[in-house]
Amino acid sequence: MSSFFTSRLFFISLALVIIAATLPLYVSGYVLGLLTVAFYFGVFAMAWDLLFGFAGEVNFGPTFLIGVGAYAAGILNAQFGWSVYLCIVLGALASVVAGLVLALPALRVRGPYFGLTTLVAVLMLQNFIVVFADLTGGEIGLTIPDVISINAGTNYWIALGFMTISAAILYGLSQSPVGLVLQASGQDPVQAGALGFNIVKHKLAAFIVSAFFSGLSGALLVFYFGTASVGTVVDVAVGVNVIVSAVLGGRRTVLGAALGAIFLIVAGEFLRPTGELATFIVSAVALLVVLFFPGGFLGAALSREARS
Amino acid sequence: MRAFQILIDGFAISALYALGATGFTLIFGVSGVLNLSHGAIMVAAAVAAWAAASILNVGTYAGALIGVGVALLTAFTTYFAVVKPIQDSRRIPNEEKEIFVLTGTLLWGIMIQELIAYFFTNNAKTVLPIVDGVVEILGVRTPRNEIFTAIVCCLVIALLWLLVNRTRTGKAVLAASMNPRGVTLLGLELTNIYIVVWAIYGILAGIAGVLLGMFLGVSSYSVGPLTASAFSIVVLGGLGSVSGSLIAAFVVGYLETLTAYLLSPAYRTIPALLLLVFVMYIRPQGLLGRR
């Protein structure tokens, strides 16, 4: 852990954050808005990587956790008029509770079964949002009266700060003894269990941490957008983006997941002139990375550093 | 009369679900591959059949054949361009191959979906049915197409059963699902068996896709829900168990039809999802699954 502060990765991350922090001084509001969304997605991807990369469980339902946080915060603000910051905190807590409810049955099963249970959670949440349209706004979406700020620079700095702090915590956690146990249980659950570690307890903890950051990020995103809709925070397609980000950036690296998310969002925007083919091209690039550089961006860079 | 209508409609939709899920479960049973581009292959078949019949005017039969052919080609591409490279890769650790196959086929499915949306728009397409008109059975007016769909699904599943249990190729496939290493010791090439399985899968997914296109219509938006429903049915039945997924297909099909008729079409999928969570909780390996 202490070696991290002298590693090249740390200095590169630090430099990137400093450069990113100065962007509002010379970049247009449009670019800032794009990056703001990308940073929140970065947290989604890092939270997902903590569970997947380290505990070896494919969670197909990142948007269940994101969506619960986003909608809980949005509904409390829109229907009850509670203040923004209280709503954000409660949104994150709602996500933790939802994560617990999901984790209890889901962690009993492994592999594809776990994947399916989490996928079903997303489909159920979608159905409930549509069925309880009076409360949730249904298919049209929920309009949120309050926002954190209308200033693009402020929103950007909040998102950047939030992502940086989340990255520090999640990365620290992944390198801590708890992270190592998770990693071991992901690779060989039987042996890790035989060493006396309570795997289920560790995974449950990872799930809850993942849920907390996903929900917090989802709630913040809602107060940035000023709206919550199935298409932006719950849809399976959003979950696919989160998963692809983490694999693209490099699984088990946490920081790579954020890089992957930023790349995915920015690349999607750059490819907008290609019209409907944008998603095709992004998916094709992601598939090529999966096939030829399975370590992802950061995985490839780190292994080169290790070799030299 | 209403009960009879539910019985008929439920049977047709369940049979279609069963056919749609059978290929998916077969591949998992034999090679452990969960193909998340499944929905995309079904939609590709339906859209190809629609385009051939409606744009190129080749007729409904030839259109249906072209649809199945496209599904077969797509299935082969999925295997050779996505699944096999991942399985053969030395850079991916063995214990992570399953996850990479999931991610790879997921991305591949999105690519197919986007190509369909690009060339044929997102609009829903209904494939011209091979038989049309309506018959009245015991006072219930039923489209002939619905009966045709149910019969074809049952026939194809019966043929598959014969193929797997009564032919040499089928027995090799069955053996490979039980003990891949043992099969190679007998001098059979595993890759050849996988190619046969992917061919069977392509044809099954193609027929299911074309029938779905005739019965309910499809669009590029159907890709995700189709994959998800095949996935749920297969897990509910027990991964790798063909008879399990047949039972699960009928349970889900009838549950959905009952909900749609008795409550509201808006709640259609909810009871089936609840049931799935419930089964996962008490019997994680599915109805007839092996652990």
Side-chain angles (χ1 to χ4, degrees):
Chain A
M1 183 72 207
S2 59
S3 66
F4 172 71
F5 292 103
T6 54
S7 74
R8 200 182 291 178
L9 186 63
F10 172 70
F11 288 110
I12 294 173
S13 317
L14 193 67
L16 283 177
V17 169
I18 291 170
I19 294 168
T22 59
L23 278 185
L25 304 176
Y26 41 82
V27 160
S28 73
Y30 161 76
V31 175
L32 291 182
L34 184 66
L35 287 174
T36 305
V37 176
F39 292 162
Y40 288 127
F41 260 82
V43 178
F44 294 161
M46 287 188 292
W48 186 83
D49 193 35
L50 183 75
L51 195 63
F52 159 72
F54 290 90
E57 298 286 11
V58 204
N59 173 11
F60 278 128
T63 53
F64 173 73
L65 303 171
I66 297 165
V68 167
Y71 265 92
I75 289 169
L76 289 176
N77 184 257
Q79 311 287 0
F80 304 97
W82 293 5
S83 82
V84 174
Y85 296 99
L86 184 63
C87 290
I88 290 173
V89 173
L90 290 176
L93 288 181
S95 182
V96 167
V97 173
L100 262 175
V101 172
L102 175 63
L104 289 178
L107 284 178
R108 282 162 45 95
V109 293
R110 275 195 62 83
Y113 297 99
F114 176 83
L116 183 82
T117 314
T118 49
L119 179 69
V120 166
V122 177
L123 299 177
M124 296 253 268
L125 183 63
Q126 264 181 25
N127 273 306
F128 280 115
I129 287 170
V130 174
V131 169
F132 296 104
D134 293 342
L135 194 67
T136 61
E139 279 159 344
I140 304 159
L142 184 71
T143 309
I144 316 288
D146 296 329
V147 289
I148 301 172
S149 163
I150 49 163
N151 182 301
T154 312
N155 274 320
Y156 173 86
W157 273 317
I158 291 173
L160 179 66
F162 172 61
M163 183 184 70
T164 310
I165 295 168
S166 307
I169 297 173
L170 289 170
Y171 184 81
L173 209 60
S174 75
Q175 303 297 313
S176 71
V178 178
L180 294 178
V181 174
L182 279 176
Q183 205 165 346
S185 62
Q187 280 171 2
D188 193 333
V190 179
Q191 272 197 20
L195 288 172
F197 296 113
N198 188 338
I199 294 164
V200 174
K201 217 165 78 185
H202 277 86
K203 279 189 186 172
L204 196 64
F207 212 107
I208 289 167
V209 173
S210 184
F212 176 77
F213 281 98
S214 306
L216 194 59
S217 190
L220 284 165
L221 189 63
V222 157
F223 286 107
Y224 170 66
F225 278 146
T227 157
S229 67
V230 170
T232 49
V233 286
V234 186
D235 206 68
V236 176
V238 179
V240 169
N241 265 340
V242 171
I243 297 169
V244 171
S245 300
V247 175
L248 204 60
R251 67 208 191 287
R252 289 200 188 144
T253 57
V254 179
L255 301 181
L259 287 183
I262 295 167
F263 169 81
L264 215 58
I265 300 241
V266 173
E269 193 64 25
F270 265 107
L271 289 168
R272 192 166 280 203
T274 61
E276 283 155 6
L277 278 182
T279 314
F280 173 81
I281 297 170
V282 171
S283 312
V285 170
L287 182 60
L288 291 176
V289 171
V290 165
L291 290 178
F292 298 107
F293 306 98
F297 299 151
L298 203 60
L302 287 177
S303 70
R304 198 164 300 134
E305 190 179 351
R307 241 181 281 134
S308 62
Chain B
M1 184 182 135
R2 196 172 178 200
F4 197 63
Q5 191 167 16
I6 293 174
L7 212 62
I8 295 178
D9 286 353
F11 188 84
I13 197 81
S14 303
L16 196 52
Y17 279 172
L19 184 61
T22 305
F24 188 87
T25 195
L26 190 70
I27 292 200
F28 182 82
V30 175
S31 58
V33 169
L34 278 174
N35 171 28
L36 293 187
S37 59
H38 179 66
I41 294 178
M42 282 176 72
V43 172
V47 170
W50 168 83
S54 312
I55 302 176
L56 304 176
N57 279 319
V58 296
T60 46
Y61 287 99
L65 268 183
I66 289 173
V68 176
V70 165
L72 186 61
L73 275 180
T74 320
F76 274 140
T77 318
T78 311
Y79 178 61
F80 285 110
V82 184
V83 176
K84 199 168 188 301
I86 292 174
Q87 285 175 336
D88 293 348
S89 169
R90 287 208 204 121
R91 275 179 283 194
I92 306 170
N94 272 329
E95 68 269 14
E96 286 183 11
K97 286 198 168 149
E98 194 183 342
I99 288 158
F100 271 85
V101 168
L102 289 178
T103 323
T105 52
L106 189 67
L107 288 167
W108 172 240
I110 297 170
M111 286 166 64
I112 299 173
Q113 175 184 353
E114 292 299 321
L115 278 186
I116 292 171
Y118 183 73
F119 287 111
F120 300 101
T121 75
N122 284 325
N123 300 335
K125 285 149 200 81
T126 309
V127 183
L128 279 178
I130 288 178
V131 291
D132 48 13
V134 180
V135 288
E136 195 160 313
I137 314 168
L138 294 177
V140 177
R141 285 167 62 82
T142 310
R144 281 177 205 273
N145 179 35
E146 191 176 322
I147 297 166
F148 175 78
T149 303
I151 293 173
V152 173
C153 289
C154 294
L155 273 180
V156 172
I157 293 169
L159 273 177
L160 178 73
W161 187 86
L162 283 178
L163 179 82
V164 171
N165 290 294
R166 292 280 182 275
T167 65
R168 215 184 129 73
T169 321
K171 283 178 180 161
V173 168
L174 211 57
S177 76
M178 292 171 186
N179 188 343
R181 202 176 283 247
V183 167
T184 53
L185 286 177
L186 290 173
L188 292 167
E189 193 66 56
L190 259 187
T191 307
N192 290 340
I193 294 177
Y194 291 160
I195 291 171
V196 170
V197 173
W198 278 87
I200 298 172
Y201 164 72
I203 294 169
L204 291 174
I207 296 173
V210 173
L211 288 174
L212 186 77
M214 289 177 182
F215 188 28
L216 299 171
V218 295
S219 76
S220 56
Y221 294 126
S222 323
V223 166
L226 281 175
T227 306
S229 82
F231 195 8
S232 338
I233 286 168
V234 165
V235 172
L236 183 61
L239 277 172
S241 159
V242 174
S243 39
S245 57
L246 292 184
I247 297 171
F250 276 85
V251 170
V252 171
Y254 271 109
L255 205 55
E256 286 193 6
T257 313
L258 274 173
T259 317
Y261 272 106
L262 302 180
L263 285 171
S264 149
Y267 302 141
R268 190 182 180 103
T269 56
I270 295 177
L273 293 176
L274 283 172
L275 174 79
L276 192 61
V277 173
F278 181 69
V279 171
M280 289 277 87
Y281 200 73
I282 54 167
R283 205 179 149 77
Q285 72 273 39
L287 297 174
L288 298 184
R290 321 170 272 212
R291 283 204 95 163

